[in-house]
Amino acid sequence: MPPRKKKTDQDALPGMPSTSIGYIKNILWKSADKLRGSMDAAQYKDFVLGLIFLKYISDAFEERREVIRAELTADGIPDDRMGMLLDEKDEYEGAGVFYVPVTARWEHLAANAKAHRDGVGKLLDDAMVAIMKENKTLTGVLATIYNRENVDQRRLAELVDLISDARFTGHGERTARDVLGEVYEYFLEQFARAEGKRGGEFYTPASVVKLLVEVLEPYEGRVYDPCCGSGGMFVQAEKFVVSHRGARHAHDLSVYGQESNERTWRLAKMNLAIHGITGNLSDRWGDTFAHDRHPDVLADFVLANPPFNMSDWARNTQDTRWKYGVPPAGNANYAWLQHIISKLGVRGTAGVVLANGSMSSKQSGEGEIRTSLVENDLVACMVALPPQLFRTTQIPACLWFFAKDKSSHGAKGLADRRGQVLFIDARNLGTMVDRTERVLTEAEIARIAGMYHVWRGTASAKGEKYEDIAGFCYSADKAEIAGHDYILTPGRYVGAAEVDDGDDEPIAEKIDRLTAELFAQFDESARLEAVVREQLGKVDD
């Protein structure tokens, strides 16, 4: 039998068996990075991601155009009469595809990138303006930054050539959206690493996002993120729905988000569009505390990774969101938590990433707010995360999970967890992928999420019965939590893991055996001492 070939292209593009999507992403990143020139990572991010988005909507437009052409041909319409019908804008908008005017189509841009009389930068800026003019939902989203003095036009033309590579288009059943969506996500992650601490403003590590989503199980309803960054929570939530219920349920979620940074808001709008998600991120960026863009939204699920320990924030002591206590001026952690709780529907649930200090701080009234959250039975689960999950900060992090209603939910038959909180200590989990970064594996994500589901009695738990596991998880009632002065650090509750040394020898027998062994050692020691004395005596003689 010939040796079995090692499988290296598990996610290869249909029709391109020797080329994996991972390989393509890597080549594109390395090639694009060489073209960066004098720009810093933050500038270059907007530059490259804007181009990838432009390529995506042009490819999606062409795919739709071919579908329309096939339908017209099937109806017996001759080619010479198709022109106007192929440009019917409603045919694209009705299918959720952006309309792309001729001068903004990638084919036109690629053909003229090196020969346009005003330069490729002007060509691209004009294309962005033309697309926004035709698609009102993209107004203000696409940056016109390509014709600036600091942009090397020769390198820009080379980058257009690179992205024109056919490998970055759809193949077979894999659409342009799938391929470029993955490329876009990959670039977001790479740029977050390149920007260091600032990268955390727009990107949450994939394994943390997945853990939040897997715990909450957002099958349908309203999903909200008050500090949505580049929109990664929404993309993962949609993936969850598609993987569990199929692509035809992809639109079972209604997405609402807000982002305070203009450039990050643009990234999020493009990220949602490139993944085919119709979300409401408002028509403008804005500060969630100063100007809530979704004042009437009550969500079924809230997913959020707010800035840790934010000291400069728009604090209004009269704000009605501070139902459980006014947050301190020097730290917005409990402002974020209370804003998120204010957005939960009757049976809404939330998962929030915060700094570890939020679980135990008592400064400036934070201890009293935490006490009130527990006494009002809003906290469902606390998870202590392992270190180094966030490349952008060394601050240890944890997850807060809230539930407005911890009862059985009637016909759903959940476990009644009123007055209880599940504590999970995951600090010992995770795998280092390099010297500075750790990730949670799929199995570890499943273990944490699965434990929550068993505790809560969800359908996904398949009837398993919850039991505390020393060193990992513990279900505490409010009286126990009060006994710990309302400190919510999981390590206080789960205790130490039991050590199995594989020793089943009865204690009495073990003592007798060890005593005999000890006496034997004493005897041997005495014998050796005598031998040494005898030999030393011979030396003296």
Side-chain angles (χ1 to χ4, degrees):
M1 177 184 289
R4 181 176 296 175
K5 283 187 177 180
K6 184 179 180 182
K7 193 173 183 180
T8 58
D9 56 349
Q10 291 180 341
D11 52 354
L13 298 175
M16 304 181 71
S18 64
T19 308
S20 74
I21 185 70
Y23 174 80
I24 289 174
K25 288 186 291 192
N26 193 37
I27 290 295
L28 181 57
W29 171 257
K30 287 181 179 177
S31 302
D33 198 45
K34 286 180 182 176
L35 301 174
R36 183 163 62 181
S38 59
M39 293 183 190
D40 63 29
Q43 281 183 301
Y44 195 57
K45 173 176 84 262
D46 300 333
F47 197 78
V48 173
L49 292 177
L51 275 185
I52 292 175
F53 182 72
L54 185 57
K55 177 70 160 56
Y56 157 72
I57 60 172
S58 185
D59 283 1
F61 174 84
E62 293 298 339
E63 286 178 359
R64 176 62 186 158
R65 192 176 178 84
E66 289 307 308
V67 170
I68 297 171
R69 187 190 302 280
E71 292 173 352
L72 293 174
T73 300
D75 290 342
I77 306 295
D79 289 349
D80 59 350
R81 291 179 52 200
M82 284 189 185
M84 288 183 62
L85 297 173
L86 285 172
D87 284 328
E88 282 286 342
K89 194 174 174 182
D90 290 346
E91 292 290 339
Y92 297 88
E93 292 180 342
V97 174
F98 294 110
Y99 182 80
V100 182
V102 174
T103 56
R105 294 173 194 169
W106 195 265
E107 182 180 18
H108 172 80
L109 300 175
N112 293 280
K114 293 181 177 175
H116 194 267
R117 66 179 184 279
D118 296 322
V120 62
K122 180 72 164 54
L123 186 70
L124 292 170
D125 280 352
D126 288 347
M128 296 293 188
V129 171
I131 289 171
M132 287 190 282
K133 187 176 180 181
E134 291 286 349
N135 302 276
K136 298 302 180 188
T137 57
L138 291 177
T139 301
V141 173
L142 306 182
T144 52
I145 54 178
Y146 298 94
N147 200 32
R148 294 179 177 175
E149 289 185 0
N150 68 330
V151 178
D152 185 322
Q153 297 295 305
R154 179 184 61 81
R155 287 177 167 173
L156 179 57
E158 291 177 0
L159 187 55
V160 170
D161 269 355
L162 183 68
I163 296 176
S164 298
D165 192 313
R167 290 176 299 181
F168 305 119
T169 312
H171 297 270
E173 295 181 355
R174 196 156 195 179
T175 64
R177 168 190 157 180
D178 295 332
V179 175
L180 287 166
E182 283 193 44
V183 169
Y184 194 90
E185 281 183 68
Y186 176 77
F187 268 50
L188 281 174
E189 181 180 2
Q190 295 301 314
F191 279 121
R193 288 177 171 173
E195 288 192 42
K197 186 176 181 180
R198 290 189 58 192
E201 295 175 5
F202 64 86
Y203 183 79
T204 304
S207 67
V208 177
V209 176
K210 187 163 189 180
L211 176 56
L212 287 169
V213 170
E214 291 292 329
V215 168
L216 294 187
E217 298 185 303
Y219 290 107
E220 59 184 359
R222 291 181 171 185
V223 179
Y224 170 68
D225 184 344
C227 41
C228 67
S230 56
M233 300 286 187
F234 302 132
V235 173
Q236 186 59 44
E238 191 231 19
K239 286 181 179 178
F240 175 86
V241 173
V242 171
S243 66
H244 286 79
R245 294 190 166 175
R248 64 190 179 92
H249 289 278
H251 300 293
D252 286 356
L253 295 176
S254 301
V255 166
Y256 298 85
Q258 182 162 346
E259 170 56 43
S260 62
N261 183 288
E262 176 187 355
R263 291 164 67 184
T264 305
W265 173 79
R266 284 178 172 159
L267 292 180
K269 294 275 281 190
M270 288 191 286
N271 199 14
L272 263 57
I274 212 167
H275 285 90
I277 300 172
T278 306
N280 181 348
L281 305 187
S282 179
D283 58 358
R284 193 177 174 81
W285 56 97
D287 186 317
T288 299
F289 296 128
H291 186 181
D292 180 3
R293 294 282 177 181
H294 304 288
D296 301 321
V297 167
L298 289 177
D300 299 291
F301 307 96
V302 181
L303 297 157
N305 176 21
F308 290 177
N309 304 323
M310 193 166 74
S311 59
D312 184 12
W313 61 287
R315 180 174 182 256
N316 176 3
T317 57
Q318 304 304 311
D319 198 313
T320 56
R321 287 173 289 189
W322 316 147
K323 187 175 177 181
Y324 306 98
V326 178
N331 194 315
N333 285 347
Y334 278 87
W336 285 114
L337 293 181
Q338 292 193 77
H339 169 78
I340 286 165
I341 290 169
S342 76
K343 290 294 185 182
L344 290 177
V346 176
R347 287 181 171 172
T349 56
V352 189
V353 188
L354 268 187
N356 266 6
S358 62
M359 298 189 290
S360 58
S361 61
K362 294 184 177 180
Q363 297 175 346
S364 307
E366 290 184 326
E368 287 76 10
I369 299 174
R370 187 171 56 251
T371 297
S372 185
L373 296 180
V374 173
E375 287 299 328
N376 281 279
D377 212 12
L378 291 163
V379 183
C381 177
M382 299 296 301
V383 179
L385 294 174
Q388 295 179 278
L389 286 178
F390 296 79
R391 182 184 285 266
T392 55
T393 177
Q394 293 301 311
I395 299 175
C398 64
L399 302 182
W400 290 69
F401 289 98
F402 296 105
K404 284 291 286 292
D405 179 2
K406 294 196 282 187
S407 71
S408 63
H409 288 201
K412 280 192 174 181
L414 302 180
D416 190 340
R417 292 296 181 182
R418 284 176 288 186
Q420 300 174 47
V421 176
L422 176 64
F423 292 91
I424 296 178
D425 190 348
R427 289 177 296 174
N428 294 324
L429 303 185
T431 300
M432 298 298 291
V433 292
D434 58 33
R435 188 174 56 84
T436 59
E437 186 176 4
R438 185 189 305 270
V439 299
L440 291 169
T441 66
E442 293 291 325
E444 290 167 338
I445 291 171
R447 184 185 180 199
I448 297 169
M451 188 55 65
Y452 177 81
H453 299 154
V454 170
W455 178 80
R456 194 66 182 96
T458 63
S460 55
K462 298 178 180 176
E464 288 187 51
K465 185 179 179 183
Y466 172 81
E467 291 183 1
D468 296 332
I469 300 175
F472 182 63
C473 61
Y474 184 82
S475 182
D477 59 27
K478 283 198 286 189
E480 289 180 273
I481 297 170
H484 285 283
D485 201 16
Y486 295 95
I487 290 174
L488 300 180
T489 309
R492 283 186 171 236
Y493 299 88
V494 303
E498 294 179 357
V499 178
D500 180 8
D501 59 3
D503 185 0
D504 56 359
E505 183 179 11
I507 293 297
E509 294 179 15
K510 191 172 187 176
I511 291 174
D512 290 342
R513 177 178 59 79
L514 290 175
T515 301
E517 289 178 2
L518 181 62
F519 287 158
Q521 295 295 327
F522 286 162
D523 293 342
E524 179 63 9
S525 175
R527 186 187 68 78
L528 291 174
E529 181 183 358
V531 171
V532 171
R533 287 181 182 277
E534 180 183 352
Q535 295 300 320
L536 287 174
K538 292 179 180 178
V539 172
D540 291 339
D541 294 340

mmCIF file of all heavy atoms in Angstrom, residues 524-536:
data_model
loop_
_atom_site.group_PDB
_atom_site.id
_atom_site.type_symbol
_atom_site.label_atom_id
_atom_site.label_comp_id
_atom_site.label_asym_id
_atom_site.label_seq_id
_atom_site.Cartn_x
_atom_site.Cartn_y
_atom_site.Cartn_z
ATOM 1 N N GLU A 524 20.522 -0.017 57.599
ATOM 2 C CA GLU A 524 21.501 0.074 56.522
ATOM 3 C C GLU A 524 22.451 1.246 56.758
ATOM 4 O O GLU A 524 23.663 1.145 56.528
ATOM 5 C CB GLU A 524 20.765 0.244 55.185
ATOM 6 C CG GLU A 524 21.672 0.385 53.962
ATOM 7 C CD GLU A 524 22.528 -0.866 53.702
ATOM 8 O OE1 GLU A 524 22.300 -1.891 54.362
ATOM 9 O OE2 GLU A 524 23.437 -0.796 52.852
ATOM 10 N N SER A 525 21.885 2.339 57.267
ATOM 11 C CA SER A 525 22.718 3.495 57.565
ATOM 12 C C SER A 525 23.750 3.169 58.641
ATOM 13 O O SER A 525 24.923 3.540 58.533
ATOM 14 C CB SER A 525 21.831 4.666 58.031
ATOM 15 O OG SER A 525 22.628 5.754 58.432
ATOM 16 N N ALA A 526 23.314 2.422 59.683
ATOM 17 C CA ALA A 526 24.227 2.032 60.769
ATOM 18 C C ALA A 526 25.333 1.120 60.246
ATOM 19 O O ALA A 526 26.503 1.245 60.613
ATOM 20 C CB ALA A 526 23.432 1.352 61.879
ATOM 21 N N ARG A 527 24.929 0.197 59.362
ATOM 22 C CA ARG A 527 25.928 -0.720 58.795
ATOM 23 C C ARG A 527 26.984 0.049 57.998
ATOM 24 O O ARG A 527 28.188 -0.174 58.150
ATOM 25 C CB ARG A 527 25.238 -1.749 57.893
ATOM 26 C CG ARG A 527 26.156 -2.848 57.371
ATOM 27 C CD ARG A 527 25.440 -3.722 56.356
ATOM 28 N NE ARG A 527 25.157 -3.001 55.127
ATOM 29 C CZ ARG A 527 26.051 -2.755 54.176
ATOM 30 N NH1 ARG A 527 27.313 -3.161 54.336
ATOM 31 N NH2 ARG A 527 25.723 -2.103 53.084
ATOM 32 N N LEU A 528 26.494 1.005 57.156
ATOM 33 C CA LEU A 528 27.426 1.767 56.341
ATOM 34 C C LEU A 528 28.331 2.642 57.199
ATOM 35 O O LEU A 528 29.520 2.828 56.897
ATOM 36 C CB LEU A 528 26.641 2.637 55.336
ATOM 37 C CG LEU A 528 25.922 1.851 54.221
ATOM 38 C CD1 LEU A 528 25.055 2.800 53.391
ATOM 39 C CD2 LEU A 528 26.924 1.130 53.334
ATOM 40 N N GLU A 529 27.790 3.172 58.287
ATOM 41 C CA GLU A 529 28.595 3.990 59.190
ATOM 42 C C GLU A 529 29.744 3.166 59.775
ATOM 43 O O GLU A 529 30.888 3.625 59.865
ATOM 44 C CB GLU A 529 27.725 4.550 60.314
ATOM 45 C CG GLU A 529 28.508 5.438 61.273
ATOM 46 C CD GLU A 529 27.656 5.920 62.426
ATOM 47 O OE1 GLU A 529 26.453 5.589 62.457
ATOM 48 O OE2 GLU A 529 28.190 6.633 63.305
ATOM 49 N N ALA A 530 29.402 1.913 60.163
ATOM 50 C CA ALA A 530 30.418 1.041 60.736
ATOM 51 C C ALA A 530 31.520 0.743 59.723
ATOM 52 O O ALA A 530 32.719 0.741 60.056
ATOM 53 C CB ALA A 530 29.762 -0.252 61.220
ATOM 54 N N VAL A 531 31.106 0.521 58.471
ATOM 55 C CA VAL A 531 32.088 0.238 57.419
ATOM 56 C C VAL A 531 33.013 1.427 57.210
ATOM 57 O O VAL A 531 34.243 1.289 57.101
ATOM 58 C CB VAL A 531 31.358 -0.130 56.102
ATOM 59 C CG1 VAL A 531 32.364 -0.213 54.947
ATOM 60 C CG2 VAL A 531 30.620 -1.454 56.250
ATOM 61 N N VAL A 532 32.406 2.620 57.173
ATOM 62 C CA VAL A 532 33.213 3.829 56.952
ATOM 63 C C VAL A 532 34.196 4.027 58.098
ATOM 64 O O VAL A 532 35.380 4.332 57.897
ATOM 65 C CB VAL A 532 32.285 5.061 56.803
ATOM 66 C CG1 VAL A 532 33.122 6.348 56.807
ATOM 67 C CG2 VAL A 532 31.477 4.969 55.511
ATOM 68 N N ARG A 533 33.726 3.814 59.374
ATOM 69 C CA ARG A 533 34.621 3.963 60.535
ATOM 70 C C ARG A 533 35.801 2.984 60.467
ATOM 71 O O ARG A 533 36.948 3.324 60.769
ATOM 72 C CB ARG A 533 33.826 3.752 61.830
ATOM 73 C CG ARG A 533 32.898 4.900 62.181
ATOM 74 C CD ARG A 533 32.165 4.637 63.484
ATOM 75 N NE ARG A 533 31.236 5.723 63.796
ATOM 76 C CZ ARG A 533 31.591 6.871 64.386
ATOM 77 N NH1 ARG A 533 32.871 7.075 64.709
ATOM 78 N NH2 ARG A 533 30.697 7.806 64.640
ATOM 79 N N GLU A 534 35.474 1.763 60.071
ATOM 80 C CA GLU A 534 36.519 0.738 59.972
ATOM 81 C C GLU A 534 37.572 1.140 58.951
ATOM 82 O O GLU A 534 38.780 1.026 59.196
ATOM 83 C CB GLU A 534 35.884 -0.603 59.598
ATOM 84 C CG GLU A 534 36.891 -1.730 59.470
ATOM 85 C CD GLU A 534 36.224 -3.035 59.029
ATOM 86 O OE1 GLU A 534 34.965 -3.074 58.982
ATOM 87 O OE2 GLU A 534 36.950 -3.977 58.715
ATOM 88 N N GLN A 535 37.128 1.623 57.792
ATOM 89 C CA GLN A 535 38.068 1.998 56.737
ATOM 90 C C GLN A 535 38.911 3.204 57.153
ATOM 91 O O GLN A 535 40.102 3.273 56.845
ATOM 92 C CB GLN A 535 37.280 2.309 55.445
ATOM 93 C CG GLN A 535 36.547 1.104 54.861
ATOM 94 C CD GLN A 535 37.511 -0.022 54.501
ATOM 95 O OE1 GLN A 535 38.619 0.189 53.980
ATOM 96 N NE2 GLN A 535 37.103 -1.261 54.830
ATOM 97 N N LEU A 536 38.264 4.156 57.809
ATOM 98 C CA LEU A 536 39.008 5.334 58.268
ATOM 99 C C LEU A 536 40.069 4.933 59.302
ATOM 100 O O LEU A 536 41.176 5.504 59.333
ATOM 101 C CB LEU A 536 38.050 6.363 58.874
ATOM 102 C CG LEU A 536 37.168 7.118 57.866
ATOM 103 C CD1 LEU A 536 36.170 8.004 58.604
ATOM 104 C CD2 LEU A 536 38.033 7.942 56.918
#
